[in-house]
Amino acid sequence: KAERQSSLPAKLINGGIAGLIGVTCVFPIDLAKTRLQNQQNGQRLYTSMSDCLIKTIRSEGYFGMYRGAAVNLTLVTPEKAIKLAANDFFRHTLSKDGRKLTVPKEMLAGCGAGTCQVIVTTPMEMLKIQLQDAGRIAAQQKLMASQATLNPASAGTSPAATATRSPQTAMQITKELLRKKGIAGLYKGLGATLLRDVPFSIIYFPLFANLNKLGQKSPDEKAPFYVSFISGCIAGSTAAVAVNPCDVVKTRLQSLQRGVNEDTYSGIVDCTRKILRNEGPMAFLKGAYCRALVIAPLFGIAQVVYFLGVAEFFLGMLPKRQE
């Protein structure tokens, strides 16, 4: 039996609603993930996710945990909509012969979905990371300045330590990138984003589909909402941890501002080598549990909204056009 398809507007609306709800719930954890991944050995401000969030609230206030959220809330609708709709499209296309999808075909559909979504994901992540990490860099500069005051002999040895830069908005960052590098500036780290999102989708979508089937009484019935939620959480957290090394590399490459004495990178291979040499293999798991905590509810909520067909309900309330 070929898989049932919802209308394209319904898919887009469902994906958008799911993304908005999910991001609102888990964004502070995502901010902690970015800051933990970006800090390098010898310049550590945070020891854990909770330590990062506590220090962020103390230095930047409660809303400091939501720096960059506006970018995500704006772009997560098309991003999630493209991802879910593309996966549904590829699954439908690959099952047109009426047969049940094999795992390789499910993985191929996930690969297609992951490839499509980077059109929106790359610039969204690029802007979000600058806004999220600005507080960490500012806190590091303050720390270095206070140390320089206590130890005047070291003052002036590191210009970056005292160089301050006022926080930029997403629009200011976008204009600056477009002016200096054109549209390519917004797509810095595209290769690393593909390396993260394509394997993620290859793991996530087949795993979710097969877990969700366990809760279906028959192939024609939807699984209960709690099964879709749990399946989305398990599949999302599993895929998130599996691709975390790629996420660390992507985050480092997309960060435009560096803290004091932090490495710069010329590309994926250079970044991987320097992290491995200077920080060890465990550095590739930085922020892994944060990412699992972000992705699990995000995709759990997404699948519940998507499979409950919230959009179909609202679209069904619209007056039908007379032929």
Side-chain angles (χ1 to χ4, degrees):
K1 179 181 169 58
E3 300 201 357
R4 180 186 63 81
Q5 278 218 310
S6 304
S7 67
L8 181 61
K11 291 175 191 172
L12 298 178
I13 293 170
N14 279 332
I17 293 170
L20 290 172
I21 295 171
V23 167
T24 304
C25 294
V26 299
F27 193 83
I29 304 173
D30 187 64
L31 179 135
K33 181 218 70 152
T34 298
R35 294 187 177 185
L36 288 169
Q37 286 183 339
N38 260 338
Q39 66 178 5
Q40 299 178 21
N41 287 349
Q43 302 296 335
R44 292 191 172 189
L45 292 173
Y46 316 112
T47 57
S48 65
M49 179 185 73
S50 58
D51 181 57
C52 178
L53 293 176
I54 290 168
K55 287 179 178 175
T56 298
I57 293 172
R58 284 176 181 169
S59 61
E60 302 167 54
Y62 175 79
F63 290 105
M65 295 191 298
Y66 284 88
R67 291 185 74 165
V71 173
N72 253 37
L73 290 171
T74 302
L75 296 178
V76 76
T77 298
E79 191 249 1
K80 278 285 171 290
I82 289 170
K83 188 185 190 86
L84 294 172
N87 180 68
D88 210 9
F89 168 78
F90 286 120
R91 289 179 69 89
H92 178 73
T93 302
L94 292 169
S95 65
K96 274 188 174 177
D97 58 3
R99 296 179 183 176
K100 179 182 174 182
L101 277 178
T102 60
V103 172
K105 282 189 176 182
E106 288 180 328
M107 293 173 74
L108 185 61
C111 178
T115 303
C116 290
Q117 80 168 84
V118 298
I119 298 168
V120 177
T121 303
T122 306
M124 178 181 79
E125 293 272 318
M126 182 72 187
L127 295 173
K128 182 197 73 171
I129 285 170
Q130 315 317 314
L131 296 168
Q132 286 182 327
D133 204 39
R136 180 188 71 89
I137 293 171
Q140 191 187 77
Q141 289 171 346
K142 285 181 183 178
L143 180 63
M144 295 297 287
S146 64
Q147 288 175 348
T149 303
L150 293 172
N151 185 14
S154 65
T157 57
S158 180
T162 55
T164 56
R165 182 171 179 172
S166 57
Q168 288 183 297
T169 63
M171 191 60 68
Q172 288 172 330
I173 295 169
T174 303
K175 287 179 180 177
E176 187 176 326
L177 285 170
L178 290 174
R179 187 179 71 252
K180 291 181 178 178
K181 300 182 180 180
I183 193 69
L186 288 172
Y187 281 88
K188 182 181 179 183
L190 175 62
T193 306
L194 278 167
L195 279 177
R196 182 196 68 172
D197 289 349
V198 171
F200 178 93
S201 295
I202 288 173
I203 296 168
Y204 171 78
F205 283 111
L207 183 56
F208 169 78
N210 285 283
L211 288 173
N212 199 55
K213 282 176 187 174
L214 298 176
Q216 292 177 289
K217 292 181 180 178
S218 71
D220 296 324
E221 291 183 26
K222 287 183 179 179
F225 79 93
Y226 64 87
V227 173
S228 292
F229 178 77
I230 294 170
S231 299
C233 288
I234 294 172
S237 57
T238 302
V241 173
V243 302
N244 197 73
C246 299
D247 191 52
V248 172
V249 172
K250 183 199 75 68
T251 301
R252 296 280 182 95
L253 288 175
Q254 288 189 317
S255 297
L256 298 175
Q257 300 296 316
R258 300 287 175 197
V260 182
N261 301 323
E262 289 185 345
D263 290 331
T264 56
Y265 312 105
S266 60
I268 294 172
V269 175
D270 180 57
C271 182
T272 304
R273 283 176 178 169
K274 285 180 178 175
I275 292 173
L276 196 59
R277 184 180 68 237
N278 300 333
E279 302 172 61
M282 290 303 293
F284 290 108
L285 292 178
K286 282 184 177 181
Y289 64 96
C290 292
R291 186 161 160 76
L293 287 173
V294 168
I295 296 295
L298 187 63
F299 277 84
I301 292 166
Q303 292 296 357
V304 169
V305 172
Y306 198 63
F307 275 82
L308 285 179
V310 174
E312 285 91 336
F313 172 76
F314 288 109
L315 289 173
M317 294 176 68
L318 295 176
K320 295 196 184 325
R321 189 174 58 188
Q322 296 290 332
E323 295 292 341

